[in-house]
Amino acid sequence: MKFYQIVKLKNVLLGINFLAVLFNASLYLFISRYINENQLDYQLLTRLNSIPTSPMVIFSRSLILFFILAIIIFRQNVDLTKIKNNLIFLLELVLALAIFFSLNMAYNGIFLLVFINLFLNNKDKAEFNKYRLWLSTGFILLILFSISDQNLINEIIKAPSLSSYITFLPQSTGSILSFIRNLLSLTNLMLFIIILVLYAHYSITREQELKNKLAISEEFKLMADLTEHISHDKDRERLARDIHDTIGHTLTGFAVGLDAAIVLIDVNPTAAKKQLGKVSASVKEGLLNIRESLNRIRPGALDNYTFKAALEGLLNKFESISHLQIDLEYNWNAEKLAKTTEDVIFHIIEETFTNSLKHGHATKVMIMCSMKDNYYQLIIHNNGLSTPDFKPGFGLNYLKDLVSSLGGQIKFNGKDGFTTIVMIPKEVNNND
């Protein structure tokens, strides 16, 4: 059931309450006239436990109070502050009590109307169910409804009973009027129960829909982030081919040049020396090209931040999208890493984290950044699936090429989770 349908039922409940208030107030008015016309005033006074209020006052006051309550219930502004909302509800409660006592407690169904309106007007309040005040007030309303029709209150307050008025009418007329009163009260109670059940069903369904939407939203976010990383992977693959070709070309030229120098060294040392100079220049040019390629794939996170801040930002991002537990031990605060080294380390961490999610299904990752001899040492370990006999794919071979371009080494261990160990010489950073 839609919420607007529940609101329509509430409006029907409001109409039933209007009929009940109008009917009970009219009984005071018309029965009093009947008693007066038949000169039964004295007998009425002897049966009542207090002096009755003017029937016209009862009639007009009850209807005026009800119309004020109806206007408040029909209020359209739902964007109220918590304090204003509380004050309006308290005003509704006061008006309901005023109507109840104005009718000399002849009709108590008005409390059920206020109770329903309380819930429907607070359906969008996330903290509504946590309000002890609301629950306590609702409980008080139900208690008022339960005991307000009992003789105990009537005896304490000494209010003229409408039942005493009805006894002056002919038995058949009195029975019909009592039946109508009970029918209105019963209809009000049944409709109240129906609205309450439908509202409970609506609340449960709405809460489940919100949970489903939240789950779908989280899933789409995770997919989008992983897609972004995959997209980056594809860009890195393309650039890795360029780096691989550059390395291959440089090493091939280096090998050919050295072979030629070896041949010339005994025959013509001067020519061999020139040849070695050419080889050295070629190798330097190749390293320059490799570093230019690396700079083209430099992560944007490193542009405006220190390496440690960029690394922590990357780890926080992975934690938020994957719920990984990440422990970082960073001991390079006193070191100034070259840009090329920062780029390589950053890409290694990105690649290993992506693999730990896609292939290892890890839940915990440990990163240690330390110094060993004259090397920067990076150890990344995750508790994902163990793969003792794994074969490096393109991604890991790409990492090997990156580390090799810096004169470093990288090792992989698929036992007891997955471990990546990287060693990059410090001299590379000094010469960058």
Side-chain angles (χ1 to χ4, degrees):
M1 165 154 306
K2 303 297 183 181
F3 183 75
Y4 74 89
Q5 294 174 314
I6 299 177
V7 173
K8 287 183 177 180
L9 288 177
K10 184 197 76 171
N11 294 336
V12 174
L13 185 67
L14 181 65
I16 292 175
N17 275 271
F18 170 70
L19 292 176
V21 171
L22 177 63
F23 183 76
N24 284 278
S26 298
L27 287 182
Y28 278 110
L29 183 62
F30 292 108
I31 294 177
S32 295
R33 289 183 180 177
Y34 174 83
I35 293 174
N36 185 46
E37 290 173 357
N38 289 276
Q39 299 181 350
L40 301 173
D41 299 24
Y42 178 76
Q43 296 182 29
L44 174 65
L45 292 175
T46 58
R47 293 189 185 183
L48 299 179
N49 51 17
S50 63
I51 299 175
T53 306
S54 169
M56 181 55 70
V57 172
I58 294 176
F59 180 83
S60 57
R61 184 174 58 193
S62 299
L63 291 182
I64 290 173
L65 290 171
F66 184 86
F67 281 126
I68 296 174
L69 176 62
I71 292 172
I72 296 175
I73 289 177
F74 270 119
R75 70 186 187 276
Q76 299 298 320
N77 185 11
V78 294
D79 297 325
L80 298 174
T81 63
K82 178 180 175 182
I83 295 177
K84 289 182 178 179
N85 205 49
N86 291 348
L87 290 176
I88 288 177
F89 168 68
L90 291 176
L91 179 59
E92 291 178 359
L93 179 58
V94 169
L95 287 170
L97 287 168
I99 294 170
F100 175 65
F101 288 113
S102 178
L103 291 172
N104 293 326
M105 299 176 292
Y107 178 70
N108 58 3
I110 198 71
F111 296 122
L112 300 183
L113 175 63
V114 174
F115 185 75
I116 284 295
N117 195 55
L118 167 68
F119 280 93
L120 299 189
N121 280 337
N122 289 276
K123 72 178 184 68
D124 293 323
K125 300 292 188 299
E127 69 277 13
F128 174 70
N129 292 329
K130 298 178 182 179
Y131 285 171
R132 293 184 179 180
L133 173 62
W134 296 126
L135 297 179
S136 301
T137 307
F139 179 74
I140 292 172
L141 285 171
L142 291 178
I143 292 296
L144 283 173
F145 177 78
S146 300
I147 67 175
S148 58
D149 199 32
Q150 304 299 318
N151 294 327
L152 176 62
I153 292 184
N154 193 273
E155 288 295 329
I156 295 174
I157 301 180
K158 302 293 183 181
S161 171
L162 182 57
S163 300
S164 300
Y165 281 78
I166 294 177
T167 57
F168 285 89
L169 298 174
Q171 185 175 1
S172 58
T173 304
S175 299
I176 293 174
L177 295 178
S178 296
F179 172 78
I180 295 174
R181 284 186 64 209
N182 293 331
L183 180 63
L184 288 171
S185 296
L186 181 61
T187 304
N188 181 69
L189 179 59
M190 293 300 296
L191 189 56
F192 165 80
I193 294 173
I194 292 173
I195 294 175
L196 203 58
V197 170
L198 292 177
Y199 176 78
H201 180 266
Y202 165 80
S203 298
I204 294 172
T205 304
R206 187 165 180 257
E207 183 179 359
Q208 188 60 42
E209 289 177 353
L210 290 176
K211 287 182 180 179
N212 292 340
K213 288 179 181 179
L214 182 61
I216 292 173
S217 176
E218 290 292 333
E219 185 176 352
F220 271 113
K221 182 177 181 297
L222 179 58
M223 290 175 63
D225 288 325
L226 290 178
T227 301
E228 181 183 356
H229 281 288
I230 292 172
S231 176
H232 290 168
D233 288 344
K234 291 181 178 179
D235 291 337
R236 289 199 299 266
E237 288 177 9
R238 177 177 57 80
L239 292 170
R241 293 190 189 99
D242 296 339
I243 296 173
H244 185 273
D245 293 341
T246 303
I247 293 174
H249 175 74
T250 301
L251 292 179
T252 300
F254 181 61
V256 172
L258 283 180
D259 289 341
I262 290 172
V263 172
L264 292 173
I265 195 167
D266 293 328
V267 178
N268 190 344
T270 302
K273 187 175 181 180
K274 291 182 179 179
Q275 180 64 28
L276 288 174
K278 293 179 181 179
V279 171
S280 176
S282 177
V283 170
K284 290 179 179 178
E285 182 181 359
L287 288 174
L288 181 61
N289 291 333
I290 291 171
R291 286 171 181 171
E292 288 177 352
S293 297
L294 288 174
N295 285 332
R296 289 200 301 272
I297 60 174
R298 179 174 176 82
L302 293 172
D303 289 339
N304 302 314
Y305 301 95
T306 64
F307 178 72
K308 183 180 180 182
L311 179 58
E312 290 175 341
L314 176 68
L315 301 185
N316 289 334
K317 180 179 179 182
F318 269 108
E319 279 187 322
S320 65
I321 67 175
S322 62
H323 307 295
L324 281 171
Q325 179 183 338
I326 302 175
D327 295 325
L328 172 64
E329 183 180 325
Y330 190 89
N331 297 311
W332 291 343
N333 288 313
E335 302 294 327
K336 182 174 177 56
L337 279 71
K339 289 184 178 180
T340 306
T341 302
E342 290 181 350
D343 296 345
V344 170
I345 292 174
F346 208 85
H347 286 304
I348 291 172
I349 292 175
E350 281 189 316
E351 183 70 28
T352 53
F353 267 76
T354 302
N355 289 338
S356 68
L357 286 173
K358 292 197 302 185
H359 307 302
H361 306 292
T363 59
K364 186 181 297 184
V365 178
M366 179 184 65
I367 301 175
M368 290 185 291
C369 304
S370 59
M371 295 294 300
K372 186 175 183 181
D373 298 332
N374 206 29
Y375 283 83
Y376 293 107
Q377 179 176 263
L378 172 67
I379 300 176
I380 306 172
H381 173 75
N382 69 66
N383 65 343
L385 300 176
S386 299
T387 51
D389 301 324
F390 83 98
K391 293 182 180 180
F394 181 85
L396 295 184
N397 286 325
Y398 159 68
L399 296 184
K400 286 184 178 181
D401 290 339
L402 288 180
V403 176
S404 296
S405 69
L406 299 180
Q409 297 179 346
I410 185 170
K411 297 180 181 179
F412 306 104
N413 188 340
K415 296 180 180 179
D416 190 22
F418 195 88
T419 305
T420 302
I421 303 175
V422 183
M423 304 288 287
I424 298 176
K426 190 174 181 180
E427 288 83 353
V428 174
N429 295 267
N430 295 333
N431 298 329
D432 200 295

